[in-house]
Amino acid sequence: MRIAVIGLGRMGANISRRLMRGGHEVVGFDRDPANVQQLVGDGAISAGSLEEAASRLDAPRIFWLMLPAGAPTEDTVAALRTIGQPGDVVIDGGNTFFKDDVRRFRQCREHGLHYVDVGTSGGVWGLERGYCLMIGGEKQVVEMLDPIFNTLAPGYGTLARTPGRDGADDRAERGYIHAGPAGAGHFVKMIHNGIEYGLMQAYAEGFDVLKGRANPRLPQDERFELNLPDIAEVWRRGSVISSWLLDLCALGLARDHDLSGFSGTVADSGEGQWTIDAAMEEAIPADVLATALFARYRSRMDHSFADKLLSAMRFGFGGHVEVPQ
């Protein structure tokens, strides 16, 4: 299939490359011409504007947006409603608030366009590992786009099948799901990111307690100089708390035992707050997720080793650089 990818930052460029590796054609557009030219070097078709991108596609035209949530995505979707033709598809693969998807779906439908929201997880590792995709939109449109989603997803890999899934939709086992109507994909991704906050906070606090055991205020025979890189490494192998996030802890600690390259100022990209907002709407207690969010707010005032490990994990999975202070 031929698809236009709008926004060629870390995620957008690697999504484009994975699509091209899978035999799809990508028309690339970004406000920075250097990003476009870099992707052209990998085999993409250049576009200098949204209009030019549209002109290089066949009907029904498919536009995949990988832009920051808020005005950049809002303005681009509005422009595509003008540029697009009935039957065209606008896909938002960024971290958009799900209620904005519901509204944009209605607005696009008024112009005869289809709108699909895709919660995309995989960060800077997605090019090689594949992307976990949570999709919202009309059933027939999602099915039409299946070759794209199948290419981007990780596939079966080496994971053993979950007992009891015989006869179930195997797309989940291949790394992508049709979660429901417009907005459902980003809602599932939002909760995914809220859980991510909680898991990361648990690892960060645990390692902070391990590090703190060397505190000179403790009795001499109760102080331990613990090797944190080794602890992270051994927990990766057979323990019940092993995970990709723990892998990233081990990677960060192996490179920099004291995490001196990180200040501990931990940013949040919005999904944590949106998750808590949803929990409040539903009257669902979410104590751990709320605490993890508030810990990030607190990190901007004073920093602990736990904050540095959070920053190291964010850099590990998404290439997120700490916000300058």
Side-chain angles (χ1 to χ4, degrees), residues 63 73 87 102 104 123 126 134 141 154 219 236 267 295 301 308-309:
F63 304 90
T73 299
V102 174
R104 290 175 191 157
M134 296 141 271
V141 178
R236 292 181 61 211
M301 292 176 276
K308 292 183 179 183
L309 190 56

Side-chain angles (χ1 to χ4, degrees), residues 45-293:
I45 302 165
S46 172
S49 66
L50 290 175
E51 290 81 1
E52 185 177 358
S55 72
R56 296 182 179 278
L57 300 174
D58 298 322
R61 300 178 297 184
I62 304 167
F63 304 90
W64 182 298
L65 277 56
M66 285 305 296
L67 299 167
T73 299
E74 191 72 50
D75 294 345
T76 304
V77 173
L80 289 174
R81 288 200 299 269
T82 302
I83 297 168
Q85 300 172 350
D88 288 351
V89 182
V90 177
I91 304 171
D92 180 4
N95 283 326
T96 287
F97 184 42
F98 76 97
K99 292 186 180 182
D100 289 334
D101 291 313
V102 174
R103 170 178 52 80
R104 290 175 191 157
F105 170 80
R106 292 195 300 262
Q107 292 170 334
C108 286
R109 185 173 56 186
E110 291 171 359
H111 290 76
L113 276 62
H114 302 290
Y115 181 92
V116 174
D117 55 287
V118 181
T120 308
S121 181
V124 296
W125 301 78
L127 175 60
E128 303 301 333
R129 292 169 56 114
Y131 298 91
C132 174
L133 305 173
M134 296 141 271
I135 306 160
E138 301 159 286
K139 183 175 184 292
Q140 69 275 18
V141 178
V142 172
E143 289 177 350
M144 185 265 289
L145 298 170
D146 191 77
I148 291 171
F149 301 138
N150 187 52
T151 297
L152 290 174
Y156 291 111
T158 58
L159 284 177
R161 292 201 69 193
T162 300
R165 285 197 58 86
D166 293 338
D169 187 341
D170 75 337
R171 288 179 295 181
E173 294 177 271
R174 288 184 276 140
Y176 64 108
I177 60 168
H178 181 200
H186 276 145
F187 182 81
V188 174
K189 176 58 163 51
M190 179 184 79
I191 304 305
H192 163 284
N193 283 26
I195 292 170
E196 176 187 293
Y197 279 36
L199 292 172
M200 291 172 68
Q201 189 66 29
Y203 284 124
E205 291 180 6
F207 276 94
D208 206 5
V209 175
L210 290 169
K211 182 177 175 62
R213 204 64 212 173
N215 193 318
R217 291 176 297 181
L218 295 172
Q220 178 70 44
D221 59 354
E222 294 180 10
R223 296 180 211 162
F224 307 137
E225 291 282 352
L226 298 170
N227 186 315
L228 301 190
D230 278 1
I231 292 171
E233 189 64 32
V234 75
W235 282 353
R236 292 181 61 211
R237 302 175 185 278
S239 91
V240 296
I241 62 167
S242 59
S243 74
W244 186 34
L245 288 173
L246 183 59
D247 293 346
L248 296 175
C249 290
L251 181 63
L253 289 166
R255 289 174 173 169
D256 180 0
H257 292 199
D258 293 323
L259 302 178
S260 57
F262 297 94
S263 71
T265 299
V266 187
D268 68 285
S269 51
E271 298 89 348
Q273 179 179 327
W274 298 340
T275 297
I276 303 308
D277 290 343
M280 292 174 66
E281 284 184 346
E282 300 165 20
I284 299 292
D287 303 30
V288 171
L289 308 189
T291 299
L293 175 64

